Amino acid sequence: MKAILKYFFLAVGATIFAYPFLWMIAASLKPEAEIGGLGLWSSSFSLSSYGTVLTKIPIGRAFLNSVIVSLSTTTSVVFFGSLVGYALARLNFKGKQALFVLILFTMMIPFQITLIPQYIMIVKLHLTDTYPSLIVPTMMSAFSIILFREFFKGLPQAFIDAARIDGCNELKILFRVVWPLSRPTVITVAILTFMTSWNEVLWPLIVVRERSLMTMPQLVTIFTIGGEAESLLGLQLAAATLLALPVIIAYAFFQRYFVESLTSTGLKG
Amino acid sequence: MKRIAHTNIRKKRADRTGYWFVLPYVLFFLMFVAYPLGFSFILIFHRWNIVTPMEWIGLKNFARLVVDPLFFKAITNTFTFLLIHIPLQIVVALGFALALNSNIRFRSFFRAIYFLPVVVSGVVVTILWQQLYAYDAGFLNRLLTAVGLSKVPWIISPEMAMPSIAIMATWKNVGIYIVLFLVGLQNIPRELYESASLDGATTTRKFFHITLPMLNPTIVVVLVLSTIGGFSLFIEPYVLTGGGPMQSTLSAMLYIYNQAFYFNHMGYAAALGFVFAFVILIVVLLQRKSVETEPTL
């Protein structure tokens, strides 16, 4: 009896979290008049809302922009994060401890303070409406450096010594020896960074005004609140579904890694 | 002697490699952390619209701030949000975590479903909930009228709008905390429960005297992250309500955004950012002081 109640509770929860998404996808395929319905099925499913969205806004281009920005950011964060993390964990140099404390300190600065000055810097460098304005300010992350440092510290010294005796330089050791041993951390940092970058919307809204350079969440936001969707729910939901789909597909394949990456921020916090 | 010289050279070389490795970050830090931080400290004493020269106005930004009704509105709105969001989040997350923390089939399936809203963009969630919350034809009101209840003015009444956003934010974020509580529950030693059972403790007693105290670190994490999240709330009110009705959903971040990018009041926006950051710090310290049983930092 108790077990049945438990499953019932869990199933109600699953419905509450999953049904709105199913409803959204179904509604984006329904004709406008049927969208208010509570159910999922309609006899007149069509892709016409998607067709209209595709002709009204350059969402394909926005998708490409988002891919370029997120991939560049992720590559950079993983590369520099492991580079600095390796130096902090495995190399000796003066000021190492001070730098580590400094990096921990930067994680505590609320972005409410740095947002305006960062925007002004982008303006003064004439970088508004460019890819670099979307990529460069997030090229490195203190959190990823810390994650890499923690993991690298736990690796056995014997592997690194062996590589040094073979005459490898530190860069080679990092990428040929340490990286292959650190796949879980690389994946965690990569997924966390990619997700954060893909879903970021405030910063693009600030530094990009040119439609052809907008990221996908930004374009969908502007489309929804800017009146272009003409208060047609079908169009708004179709645009939202297009924005959600890449992440949901990625999530379906790498579910475990997503959960681990995103909760790591909480475990460390 | 020769050997010492040799290790010295090696050490120097390692030193130099270390410097090369951290150099990119040091440059990044100077440009995107230190400079903005320093510049914001200059900005708060100026009036500036980026185009014309900066004008020194001393503490006038702060003098304006302490009599700015919208500043206080943003603060009280954020507290309204937190007052609903935090308890709701803890209760819901703990409930599901407790249900999942037993011999359950499809456990990873359930966990995956609860986590889904966390990975989806806040823009998607907000557009979706705009339809759920709509007054006349919205999903939730149709559901309520179908079972004979009256409609709720979710986002069109000033009293309900912020609580509605708090509910939506809980739906979006609670998956993270379910997993965190689950990790916390699995770290509680079984022996504690066993010896309590031997002493004749009831399930309720065990929950309040073992489970809750042992989960204290997780609860502190929920408090701190939710508070920071509350003060960073932006896209939800921006898309859903634009800060209305009657400024009832004007969040701290939305107010900074409006001042900076609508009115070009860069100095005042920077001052707002500073004060909000200070408020976050105070609130988090107070929370830690009152809730945390074993200080970690």
Side-chain angles (χ1 to χ4, degrees):
Chain A
M1 189 56 211
K2 228 179 140 186
I4 294 174
L5 266 176
K6 206 176 257 179
Y7 280 107
F8 179 73
F9 176 66
L10 290 171
V12 169
T15 313
I16 290 172
F17 289 107
Y19 193 79
F21 286 119
L22 296 174
W23 180 86
M24 173 177 82
I25 295 168
S28 71
L29 296 166
K30 288 179 191 171
E32 193 70 18
E34 286 180 36
I35 286 177
L38 300 178
L40 297 179
W41 180 250
S42 159
S43 50
S44 38
F45 275 146
S46 84
L47 287 170
S48 75
S49 290
Y50 289 90
T52 316
V53 169
L54 289 175
T55 54
K56 281 205 162 195
I57 48 171
I59 196 149
R61 177 63 198 258
F63 175 79
L64 193 70
N65 291 339
S66 275
V67 170
I68 292 171
V69 169
S70 303
L71 275 185
S72 318
T73 305
T74 306
T75 312
S76 167
V77 165
V78 171
F79 177 80
F80 288 111
S82 58
L83 199 67
V84 181
Y86 181 76
L88 290 177
R90 290 296 182 169
L91 299 176
N92 285 313
F93 54 96
K94 260 191 206 135
K96 185 167 92 163
Q97 202 51 33
L99 184 68
F100 176 60
V101 173
L102 189 75
I103 293 174
L104 283 179
F105 164 74
T106 64
M107 285 171 59
M108 287 190 268
I109 304 170
F111 76 100
Q112 283 89 340
I113 292 183
T114 45
L115 186 75
I116 308 285
Q118 280 194 359
Y119 165 71
I120 290 168
M121 186 162 69
I122 296 290
V123 172
K124 292 296 168 196
L125 293 171
H126 302 287
L127 284 176
T128 46
D129 287 321
T130 61
Y131 283 131
S133 72
L134 293 170
I135 298 165
V136 179
T138 45
M139 267 180 81
M140 292 177 218
S141 111
F143 183 64
S144 76
I145 294 173
I146 303 295
L147 273 186
F148 276 119
R149 175 186 178 269
E150 299 303 307
F151 188 84
F152 291 164
K153 260 186 138 31
L155 289 177
Q157 183 65 31
F159 286 105
I160 294 166
D161 283 343
R164 279 192 190 140
I165 287 165
D166 287 346
C168 287
N169 63 32
E170 298 297 329
L171 214 55
K172 223 175 183 172
I173 295 175
L174 172 60
F175 292 114
R176 294 276 171 80
V177 181
V178 172
W179 260 48
L181 295 169
S182 316
R183 270 191 54 187
T185 309
V186 172
I187 293 174
T188 298
V189 170
I191 288 190
L192 188 65
T193 312
F194 192 89
M195 270 258 332
T196 315
S197 179
W198 183 272
N199 289 339
E200 174 62 41
V201 64
L202 174 58
W203 183 250
L205 277 173
I206 292 173
V207 294
V208 171
R209 303 279 156 91
E210 171 86 38
R211 228 152 78 127
S212 61
L213 278 165
M214 287 185 177
T215 63
M216 214 174 165
Q218 181 188 12
L219 186 70
V220 171
T221 302
I222 301 274
F223 176 67
T224 311
I225 65 169
E228 265 180 297
E230 293 160 4
S231 328
L232 290 175
L233 304 185
L235 298 189
Q236 298 183 15
L237 292 171
T241 304
L242 285 175
L243 173 58
L245 230 43
V247 175
I248 292 183
I249 292 171
Y251 179 64
F253 284 102
F254 305 107
Q255 186 250 112
R256 215 192 77 212
Y257 292 113
F258 269 88
V259 175
E260 278 166 15
S261 304
L262 283 153
T263 44
S264 71
T265 51
L267 289 171
K268 290 279 164 180
Chain B
M1 191 61 204
K2 218 176 163 188
R3 199 157 159 189
I4 293 169
H6 181 71
T7 45
N8 264 341
I9 290 169
R10 254 197 88 147
K11 206 174 159 229
K12 274 217 178 98
R13 200 175 294 151
D15 263 33
R16 214 176 300 153
T17 318
Y19 291 135
W20 279 117
F21 275 29
V22 299
L23 182 68
Y25 180 76
V26 172
L27 294 176
F28 178 85
F29 170 83
L30 289 175
M31 192 154 172
F32 291 101
V33 184
Y35 175 76
L37 212 54
F39 190 60
S40 76
F41 202 70
I42 297 169
L43 206 50
I44 55 177
F45 300 112
H46 288 81
R47 180 183 305 160
W48 196 31
N49 62 4
I50 296 199
V51 188
T52 56
M54 281 170 105
E55 182 193 344
W56 170 270
I57 55 166
L59 289 172
K60 273 193 188 145
N61 280 326
F62 293 95
R64 177 179 164 194
L65 192 140
V66 293
V67 292
D68 180 356
L70 285 182
F71 164 71
F72 290 101
K73 191 75 188 148
I75 297 263
T76 49
N77 287 342
T78 305
F79 281 125
T80 308
F81 173 86
L82 292 178
L83 228 54
I84 296 163
H85 181 56
I86 293 177
L88 196 62
Q89 190 138 262
I90 292 178
V91 170
V92 174
L94 197 53
F96 283 114
L98 284 170
L100 284 176
N101 187 38
S102 49
N103 249 331
I104 288 277
R105 271 165 198 256
F106 315 116
R107 184 156 89 180
S108 47
F109 167 78
F110 283 121
R111 198 186 64 168
I113 297 286
Y114 302 158
F115 207 80
L116 185 59
V118 175
V119 301
V120 172
S121 152
V123 175
V124 174
V125 170
T126 312
I127 293 175
L128 171 57
W129 277 73
Q130 195 163 31
Q131 312 310 329
L132 302 186
Y133 275 152
Y135 186 69
D136 281 322
F139 185 94
L140 289 174
N141 278 348
R142 283 197 183 215
L143 204 62
L144 289 174
T145 45
V147 296
L149 296 169
S150 55
K151 290 178 182 174
V152 174
W154 297 106
I155 49 173
I156 54 172
S157 103
E159 287 77 33
M160 275 303 295
M162 203 52 163
S164 298
I165 290 182
I167 294 171
M168 176 178 87
T170 307
W171 182 83
K172 171 151 176 38
N173 293 330
V174 79
I176 289 188
Y177 303 109
I178 293 175
V179 177
L180 283 181
F181 274 123
L182 203 51
V183 172
L185 285 171
Q186 281 164 353
N187 285 336
I188 302 176
R190 290 234 150 269
E191 299 85 64
L192 286 180
Y193 291 108
E194 281 158 13
S195 62
S197 298
L198 285 177
D199 293 341
T202 59
T203 317
T204 332
R205 263 190 86 82
K206 277 190 267 184
F207 177 75
F208 283 103
H209 289 271
I210 301 172
T211 313
L212 269 190
M214 292 297 282
L215 288 177
N216 184 272
T218 317
I219 292 174
V220 173
V221 168
V222 180
L223 279 177
V224 172
L225 290 185
S226 305
T227 305
I228 295 172
F231 278 93
S232 314
L233 198 65
F234 171 74
I235 197 66
E236 294 84 354
Y238 184 74
V239 171
L240 199 61
T241 55
M246 292 167 68
Q247 315 289 355
S248 64
T249 56
L250 182 75
S251 67
M253 200 52 236
L254 188 57
Y255 191 43
I256 294 179
Y257 180 88
N258 287 343
Q259 283 294 341
F261 306 109
Y262 236 75
F263 303 114
N264 283 319
H265 296 159
M266 292 301 159
Y268 189 53
L272 283 170
F274 239 82
V275 175
F276 284 131
F278 189 67
V279 176
I280 297 176
L281 182 73
I282 302 286
V283 173
V284 167
L285 285 179
L286 284 177
Q287 284 172 338
R288 292 204 119 154
K289 219 180 149 168
S290 56
V291 177
E292 201 163 36
T293 46
E294 280 170 68
T296 46
L297 250 169

